[in-house]
Amino acid sequence: MSFIYLSKHEEKILDGEHGEAKRLAMEILVKLGDINKADRLIEIDAAHISGISYKNIGDAGLEFLMDLKNLGAKFSILATTNPSGVDRFNILGVDEHFYKKQMLILNVLKQMGAKITCTCTPYYIGNLPYRRHVAFAESSATIFVNSVLGAYTNRESSISSIAAAIIGKTPLYGLHKEENRKPKIRVIVEDKLKGYEYYLLGYYIGKELGEIPIIENVYPNVDELKYLSAGLSVSSINIFHVYNLTLESKNYDIEDLEKIKLDRKTLDDTVLMFKSNDYEAICLGCPHLSMMEIKRYLRMKFKNEVLLFTNYSFYKLFKEDVRCENIKLIPDTCMVVSPLKYKTIATNSTKACFYLNLQGYKTHLINI
Ligand code: F3S
């Protein structure tokens, strides 16, 4: 028995009157709502679907998507997709079997109405939910849109984002409610942070503090806000506030919150386990690179092989500008969800290090 309130129309969907695909999607949303004690469903404007790499979902995931499509599943709102397991040109050189299966996954999602963006920064290319309710399933993008754009989204799973995109609704709980977005701890940064240090800041807060922070004495640019989001994304925190900068930061009375002071040395010490000093290639673009980052890296000279990951639109804009023969600009995929041939990888992203280590790769965190 469900405790979530459903309108007559929603009940009919759950009873199967609008077809089996919608019934299944509604059942998933109702179960999710019940687990999280949601009172009702709310309308959303967009979804972002993760878990689409063949490396991660394999044949079972592909079959699930095909079954759903064959039941008549169609997305009713804008639904963008996260990186795939390989780029469309197979610049990475994965085997033919993997490539074919990946293209099948993308094709099925396309037939269901997804916008095949294959990027974890969909907010650069049109899925930009400014102060709107959405269902995002990519962890760093979820944190970025909640914190920087004032969007309202929980961190969805691949399945729940698909269900939400079919119905155009999500259960009302978690970060869709103002009361759950409040900061719980003040983080006062004593040194002036720059660039990659924002990955470390996010990683430290997620690992050591574990509470929604309001961060003071920092002045991040948009790329640095993205690094902060990615650093936090390996924890369960899905929103942050930067004092005097992010949209909601002035909404709260923070006077009585616990204060934590942080310096650069503490941040550096937290990521020592990601540093091995040994690497075959440098991988950058976790999350996917912005135009400013691409321009900056294309001006640099490298001795090692360098893979730069971004979305297809930025790839097209900059592919002719690659001058250094060691650099490959790659669209659609990333170092974590593709089957990379290297065993030891240098990157500036704590998120990439975390997931690559889990997969048995050796990483070397670099400040670049
Ligand atoms: Fe994006 Fe891949 Fe990192 S999906 S956030 S580049 S792990």
Side-chain angles (χ1 to χ4, degrees), residues 216-234:
E216 299 175 48
N217 204 27
V218 291
Y219 308 92
N221 61 33
V222 179
D223 285 332
E224 290 165 340
L225 288 164
K226 181 179 69 174
Y227 303 160
L228 186 51
S229 304
L232 272 170
S233 70
V234 299

Side-chain angles (χ1 to χ4, degrees), residues 82-83 119-121 138-141 230 233 285-288 309 333-337 349 351-352 355:
N82 225 32
T119 184
C120 48
T121 51
E138 149 59 37
S139 55
S140 69
S233 70
C286 173
H288 271 179
F309 295 98
T333 186
C334 83
M335 64 286 256
V336 172
V337 301
S349 166
K351 177 175 180 181
Y355 286 110

Side-chain angles (χ1 to χ4, degrees), residues 273-341:
M273 75 282 198
F274 292 145
K275 300 196 175 187
S276 64
N277 276 318
D278 173 26
Y279 57 91
E280 297 158 88
I282 300 172
C283 292
L284 302 169
C286 173
H288 271 179
L289 297 172
S290 67
M291 290 201 265
M292 291 296 285
E293 291 172 292
I294 296 172
K295 278 186 190 167
R296 184 157 62 84
Y297 292 134
L298 289 185
R299 281 198 296 263
M300 294 168 72
K301 294 255 180 295
F302 294 94
K303 286 193 192 124
N304 289 73
E305 181 149 23
V306 178
L307 309 185
L308 303 179
F309 295 98
T310 190
N311 65 63
Y312 182 58
S313 302
F314 293 176
Y315 165 83
K316 278 193 295 185
L317 273 176
F318 290 101
K319 68 180 172 24
E320 307 297 341
D321 298 339
V322 180
R323 305 267 182 264
C324 173
E325 60 180 24
N326 288 345
I327 297 180
K328 280 192 181 126
L329 185 61
I330 302 173
D332 305 327
T333 186
C334 83
M335 64 286 256
V336 172
V337 301
S338 64
L340 280 186
K341 62 179 179 183

